[in-house]
Coordinates of all heavy atoms in Angstrom, one line a residue:
V245 N 104.1 86.3 94.1 CA 103.4 87.5 94.6 C 102.0 87.5 94.0 O 101.8 87.4 92.8 CB 104.1 88.8 94.1 CG1 103.4 90.0 94.7 CG2 105.6 88.8 94.6
Q246 N 101.0 87.6 94.9 CA 99.6 87.6 94.4 C 99.4 88.8 93.5 O 99.8 89.9 93.8 CB 98.6 87.6 95.6 CG 97.2 87.1 95.3 CD 96.4 88.2 94.7 OE1 96.5 89.4 95.0 NE2 95.5 87.9 93.7
H247 N 98.6 88.5 92.5 CA 98.4 89.5 91.4 C 97.9 90.9 91.9 O 98.5 91.9 91.5 CB 97.4 88.9 90.4 CG 97.2 89.7 89.2 ND1 97.9 89.4 88.0 CD2 96.3 90.7 88.8 CE1 97.5 90.3 87.0 NE2 96.5 91.0 87.5
H248 N 96.9 90.9 92.8 CA 96.4 92.2 93.2 C 97.2 92.8 94.2 O 97.2 94.1 94.3 CB 94.9 91.9 93.6 CG 94.1 91.4 92.5 ND1 93.8 90.0 92.3 CD2 93.5 92.0 91.4 CE1 93.1 89.9 91.3 NE2 92.9 91.0 90.7
H249 N 97.9 92.1 95.0 CA 98.9 92.7 95.9 C 100.0 93.4 95.1 O 100.4 94.5 95.4 CB 99.6 91.6 96.8 CG 100.6 92.1 97.8 ND1 101.5 91.4 98.4 CD2 100.8 93.4 98.3 CE1 102.3 92.1 99.2 NE2 101.8 93.3 99.1
A250 N 100.4 92.8 93.9 CA 101.4 93.4 93.1 C 100.8 94.7 92.5 O 101.5 95.7 92.3 CB 101.8 92.5 91.9
H251 N 99.5 94.7 92.2 CA 98.9 96.0 91.7 C 99.0 97.1 92.7 O 99.5 98.2 92.4 CB 97.4 95.8 91.4 CG 97.1 95.4 90.0 ND1 97.6 96.1 88.9 CD2 96.4 94.4 89.4 CE1 97.1 95.6 87.8 NE2 96.4 94.5 88.1
I252 N 98.7 96.8 94.0 CA 98.7 97.8 95.0 C 100.1 98.2 95.3 O 100.4 99.4 95.5 CB 97.9 97.4 96.3 CG1 96.5 97.1 95.9 CG2 98.0 98.4 97.4 CD1 95.7 98.2 95.3
A253 N 101.0 97.3 95.3 CA 102.5 97.6 95.6 C 103.0 98.4 94.5 O 103.8 99.3 94.7 CB 103.3 96.3 95.7
S254 N 102.6 98.2 93.2 CA 103.0 99.0 92.1 C 102.5 100.5 92.3 O 103.3 101.4 92.1 CB 102.4 98.5 90.8 OG 102.6 99.3 89.7
C255 N 101.3 100.7 92.8 CA 100.8 102.0 93.1 C 101.6 102.7 94.2 O 101.9 103.9 94.1 CB 99.3 102.0 93.4 SG 98.5 103.6 93.5
L256 N 101.9 101.9 95.2 CA 102.7 102.4 96.3 C 104.1 102.9 95.8 O 104.6 104.0 96.1 CB 102.9 101.4 97.4 CG 101.6 101.1 98.3 CD1 101.9 99.9 99.2 CD2 101.3 102.3 99.1
A257 N 104.7 102.0 95.0 CA 106.1 102.4 94.5 C 106.0 103.6 93.6 O 106.9 104.4 93.5 CB 106.6 101.1 93.8
D258 N 104.9 103.6 92.8 CA 104.7 104.8 91.9 C 104.7 106.1 92.6 O 105.2 107.1 92.1 CB 103.4 104.6 91.1 CG 103.3 105.4 89.9 OD1 104.0 106.4 89.7 OD2 102.4 105.1 89.0
N259 N 104.2 106.0 93.9 CA 104.0 107.2 94.7 C 105.1 107.4 95.7 O 105.1 108.3 96.6 CB 102.6 107.3 95.3 CG 101.5 107.5 94.3 OD1 101.2 108.7 94.1 ND2 100.9 106.5 93.8
G260 N 106.1 106.5 95.7 CA 107.2 106.6 96.7 C 106.8 106.3 98.1 O 107.3 106.8 99.1
E261 N 105.8 105.4 98.3 CA 105.3 105.1 99.6 C 105.4 103.6 99.9 O 105.6 102.8 99.0 CB 103.8 105.5 99.7 CG 103.6 107.0 99.4 CD 102.5 107.6 100.2 OE1 102.0 107.0 101.1 OE2 102.2 108.8 99.9
A262 N 105.3 103.3 101.2 CA 105.4 101.9 101.7 C 104.2 101.3 102.3 O 104.1 100.1 102.5 CB 106.6 101.8 102.7
G263 N 103.2 102.2 102.5 CA 101.9 101.7 103.2 C 102.1 101.7 104.7 O 103.1 102.2 105.2
P264 N 101.1 101.1 105.4 CA 99.9 100.4 104.8 C 98.9 101.3 104.3 O 98.8 102.5 104.7 CB 99.5 99.6 106.0 CG 99.8 100.4 107.2 CD 101.2 101.1 106.8
V265 N 98.0 100.8 103.4 CA 96.9 101.5 102.8 C 95.8 100.5 102.6 O 95.9 99.3 102.8 CB 97.3 102.0 101.4 CG1 98.4 103.1 101.5 CG2 97.7 100.9 100.5
I266 N 94.6 101.1 102.4 CA 93.5 100.4 101.9 C 93.7 100.3 100.4 O 93.7 101.4 99.7 CB 92.1 101.0 102.2 CG1 91.9 101.1 103.7 CG2 91.0 100.3 101.5 CD1 90.8 102.0 104.1
G267 N 93.9 99.1 99.8 CA 94.1 99.0 98.4 C 92.9 98.5 97.7 O 92.2 97.5 98.1
V268 N 92.5 99.3 96.6 CA 91.3 98.9 95.8 C 91.9 98.4 94.5 O 92.4 99.2 93.7 CB 90.3 100.0 95.6 CG1 89.1 99.5 94.8 CG2 89.9 100.6 96.9
A269 N 91.9 97.1 94.2 CA 92.5 96.5 93.0 C 91.3 96.0 92.1 O 90.8 94.9 92.4 CB 93.5 95.5 93.3
F270 N 90.9 96.7 91.1 CA 89.8 96.3 90.3 C 90.4 96.0 88.9 O 90.9 96.9 88.2 CB 88.8 97.4 90.2 CG 87.7 97.4 91.3 CD1 88.0 96.8 92.5 CD2 86.5 97.9 91.1 CE1 87.1 96.7 93.6 CE2 85.5 97.9 92.2 CZ 85.9 97.3 93.4
D271 N 90.2 94.8 88.4 CA 90.7 94.4 87.1 C 89.9 93.3 86.5 O 88.8 93.0 87.0 CB 92.2 94.1 87.1 CG 92.6 92.9 87.9 OD1 91.7 92.3 88.5 OD2 93.8 92.6 87.9
G272 N 90.4 92.7 85.4 CA 89.6 91.6 84.8 C 89.9 90.2 85.3 O 89.0 89.5 85.6
T273 N 91.2 89.9 85.5 CA 91.5 88.6 85.9 C 92.8 88.6 86.8 O 93.8 89.2 86.4 CB 91.8 87.7 84.7 OG1 90.6 87.6 83.9 CG2 92.2 86.3 85.1
G274 N 92.8 87.8 87.9 CA 94.0 87.6 88.7 C 93.8 86.4 89.5 O 92.7 86.2 90.1
Y275 N 94.8 85.6 89.6 CA 94.7 84.3 90.3 C 94.7 84.6 91.8 O 95.6 85.2 92.4 CB 95.9 83.4 90.0 CG 95.8 82.0 90.5 CD1 94.9 81.0 89.9 CD2 96.5 81.6 91.6 CE1 94.8 79.8 90.5 CE2 96.4 80.3 92.1 CZ 95.6 79.4 91.6 OH 95.5 78.1 92.1
G276 N 93.7 84.1 92.5 CA 93.6 84.4 94.0 C 94.2 83.3 94.8 O 94.5 82.2 94.3
T277 N 94.5 83.6 96.1 CA 95.1 82.6 97.0 C 94.2 81.5 97.3 O 94.7 80.4 97.8 CB 95.6 83.3 98.3 OG1 94.4 84.0 98.9 CG2 96.7 84.4 98.0
D278 N 92.9 81.6 97.0 CA 91.9 80.5 97.3 C 91.7 79.7 96.0 O 90.8 78.9 96.0 CB 90.6 81.1 97.8 CG 89.9 82.1 96.9 OD1 90.5 82.4 95.8 OD2 88.8 82.5 97.2
G279 N 92.4 80.0 95.0 CA 92.2 79.2 93.7 C 91.1 79.7 92.8 O 90.9 79.2 91.7
T280 N 90.4 80.8 93.2 CA 89.4 81.4 92.4 C 90.0 82.6 91.6 O 91.1 83.0 91.8 CB 88.1 81.8 93.1 OG1 88.5 82.9 94.1 CG2 87.6 80.6 93.9
I281 N 89.2 83.1 90.7 CA 89.6 84.2 89.9 C 89.2 85.5 90.6 O 88.0 85.8 90.6 CB 89.0 84.1 88.5 CG1 89.5 82.8 87.8 CG2 89.5 85.3 87.6 CD1 88.8 82.5 86.5
W282 N 90.2 86.3 91.0 CA 89.9 87.6 91.7 C 89.9 88.7 90.7 O 90.2 88.5 89.5 CB 90.9 87.8 92.8 CG 90.9 86.9 94.0 CD1 90.2 85.8 94.1 CD2 91.7 87.0 95.1 NE1 90.4 85.2 95.3 CE2 91.4 86.0 96.0 CE3 92.7 87.9 95.6 CZ2 92.0 85.8 97.2 CZ3 93.3 87.7 96.8 CH2 92.9 86.7 97.6
G283 N 89.4 89.9 91.2 CA 89.4 91.0 90.3 C 88.6 92.2 90.8 O 88.6 93.3 90.2
G284 N 87.9 92.1 91.9 CA 87.2 93.2 92.6 C 87.6 93.2 94.0 O 86.8 92.9 94.9
E285 N 88.8 93.6 94.3 CA 89.5 93.3 95.6 C 89.7 94.6 96.5 O 90.1 95.7 95.9 CB 90.8 92.6 95.4 CG 90.7 91.4 94.5 CD 89.7 90.4 94.9 OE1 89.6 90.1 96.1 OE2 88.9 90.0 94.1

Side-chain angles (χ1 to χ4, degrees):
V245 181
Q246 198 278 324
H247 188 91
H248 300 95
H249 183 199
H251 267 309
I252 300 305
S254 173
C255 186
L256 288 171
D258 196 343
N259 288 275
E261 304 215 6
V265 295
I266 298 169
V268 184
F270 275 24
D271 64 0
T273 299
Y275 188 77
T277 56
D278 60 357
T280 64
I281 301 171
W282 292 6
E285 309 307 312

